[in-house]
Amino acid sequence: MGGLYGNAAATALEDVPPEARGIISGMLQQGYAFGYLLAVVFARALVNTTSHGWRPLFWFGYVLPHIITTYSYFYVLMGSCRACPPVLLIIGRLFLPETEAYQRRMAMRQDGDGIEKTFFREGKVALKRYWLMLIYLVLLMSGFNFMSHGSQDLYPTMLQNQLQFSANKVTVTQVIANLGAITGGTVVGYCSEVFGRRLSILTMCILGAALIYPYGFLKDERIAAAAFFEQFAVQGAWGVVPIHLMELSPAGFRTFVVGTSYQLGNLVSSASSTIEATIGERFPLPPTASGVKRYVYGKVIAIFMACVFVSVSSRSRASYFAPPRVVTHRQKSCRRTSSYSF
């Protein structure tokens, strides 16, 4: 899983025309929100509604995505095959060509002192010139992962425990939130081509911070609207991330930098829900009639997210670590210069 993100981002974005990179970045990243939406719906439909308990959700989460992916890529060549979806996915991926950007880099390395020597020489240069940028990207991605996990992981528990929402209400609220996430990621990803990556991230952080109060403190069905726009802001900022990381990474080590910074940020933020739940125990509510303990998780989520938005905003504004500014395609068009290439 950890090794896939950097390669997936490079495969999706390296050969995309400059004017489309923002929106494709947003669409790529919102596969996360779409998967979350499907998980929410199928968890409500399958978990504890059959004699198999939690297992149907596992079957859905593991088997169905492989079948869909395999079928979409190779329905003509392998349409009759229905067994071993992961094996088919691996075999099918072998038939897809590498990106043109990758092929150009390999050709340059072959024309030099050989692939291995050129690769290691480029690595030394990249670490020497970009080590500070690598640290910055890890810190940036830790903030982004705190943003998503801090606003999402404990939220269903808050709805059910603090607000006493039924399972159906929790599902509806979560679906609406993820629809907002999908919309925000795609729209803001596109807008980043016009207004720039950092300005788009900063704007979404400001919007998300402004919506913290209704997101954490409304106590009825209106909270679904707050969830929609809060996740619009959170995943709107995330929609810029793939292309932003690609543009800030050394060309020869783009997949390594993108994947490593993303996953190290994930590691740092992995305790988000534990931190929130532990602090939430300091704000108890009267227990339910059946004796279940209740806590004011909304207050903790609000405080936590306020800190995260400030942190991400400050890191996005940091210019000391930045290489020469990457100008978007539309901005370059306005200046009548040629568009940049990876």
Side-chain angles (χ1 to χ4, degrees):
M1 291 290 290
L4 288 174
Y5 185 84
N7 291 282
T11 301
L13 295 172
E14 278 189 329
D15 289 347
V16 173
E19 64 272 17
R21 285 174 183 159
I23 190 170
I24 296 300
S25 172
M27 293 171 65
L28 167 70
Q29 186 62 39
Q30 294 324 304
Y32 163 83
F34 183 64
Y36 194 160
L37 187 153
L38 291 179
V40 167
V41 172
F42 277 83
R44 180 69 189 103
L46 299 177
V47 175
N48 296 325
T49 59
T50 69
S51 60
H52 299 290
W54 54 267
R55 291 175 180 81
L57 184 62
F58 171 78
W59 298 333
F60 164 76
Y62 178 74
V63 177
L64 186 59
H66 288 90
I67 293 176
I68 291 173
T69 306
T70 304
Y71 183 77
S72 63
Y73 280 145
F74 305 105
Y75 69 97
V76 175
L77 296 177
M78 304 180 184
S80 60
C81 298
R82 293 293 180 266
C84 304
V87 175
L88 292 181
L89 182 60
I90 293 171
I91 295 174
R93 184 61 184 87
L94 294 175
F95 287 91
L96 296 177
E98 295 288 352
T99 63
E100 293 180 4
Y102 172 82
Q103 293 178 25
R104 288 195 298 268
R105 287 196 299 272
M106 291 301 292
M108 292 175 60
R109 288 168 178 168
Q110 288 176 343
D111 293 339
D113 298 330
I115 295 176
E116 293 81 6
K117 291 183 179 180
T118 306
F119 176 81
F120 286 112
R121 185 172 64 250
E122 289 177 352
K124 292 179 181 179
V125 173
L127 288 174
K128 184 177 180 180
R129 294 184 57 187
Y130 287 90
W131 66 271
L132 206 56
M133 173 61 74
L134 297 179
I135 295 174
Y136 165 72
L137 291 179
V138 172
L139 294 174
L140 180 66
M141 293 315 300
S142 66
F144 266 95
N145 279 286
F146 271 121
M147 186 193 301
S148 59
H149 293 294
S151 65
Q152 296 169 355
D153 291 0
L154 199 65
Y155 203 67
T157 304
M158 186 205 81
L159 296 175
Q160 188 172 27
N161 179 274
Q162 178 184 336
L163 303 185
Q164 296 292 285
F165 277 20
S166 66
N168 287 337
K169 278 189 177 181
V170 173
T171 300
V172 170
T173 304
Q174 289 290 89
V175 167
I176 292 173
N178 281 286
L179 290 175
I182 294 170
T183 305
T186 306
V187 171
V188 178
Y190 172 76
C191 291
S192 71
E193 277 301 327
V194 181
F195 302 107
R197 317 297 186 205
R198 290 179 179 175
L199 180 59
S200 299
I201 293 172
L202 287 170
T203 303
M204 290 301 101
C205 286
I206 294 171
L207 176 62
L211 292 168
I212 285 176
Y213 180 80
Y215 188 67
F217 289 92
L218 288 179
K219 294 179 171 58
D220 53 27
E221 291 81 358
R222 294 176 300 172
I223 201 170
F228 178 94
F229 288 106
E230 181 70 18
Q231 290 305 313
F232 180 100
V234 170
Q235 292 303 318
W238 261 104
V240 184
V241 164
I243 189 61
H244 191 47
L245 293 180
M246 293 277 288
E247 290 171 343
L248 293 178
S249 302
F253 294 85
R254 194 165 283 129
T255 54
F256 169 78
V257 172
V258 172
T260 303
S261 60
Y262 177 88
Q263 297 302 342
L264 288 178
N266 239 337
L267 175 64
V268 172
S269 68
S270 59
S272 297
S273 59
T274 303
I275 294 171
E276 291 177 333
T278 302
I279 298 175
E281 293 176 357
R282 300 188 179 186
F283 303 97
L285 288 169
T288 64
S290 59
V292 177
K293 294 181 179 180
R294 299 171 60 223
Y295 303 99
V296 187
Y297 290 125
K299 180 186 294 185
V300 178
I301 292 174
I303 296 172
F304 188 89
M305 289 305 298
C307 297
V308 170
F309 281 128
V310 171
S311 174
V312 173
S313 298
S314 63
R315 292 172 189 175
S316 298
R317 291 179 62 250
S319 58
Y320 177 79
F321 301 103
R325 179 172 174 265
V326 176
V327 183
T328 64
H329 174 77
R330 290 177 182 272
Q331 291 168 332
K332 280 201 170 185
S333 297
C334 292
R335 298 177 186 178
R336 295 183 180 179
T337 61
S338 59
S339 61
Y340 67 87
S341 60
F342 282 132

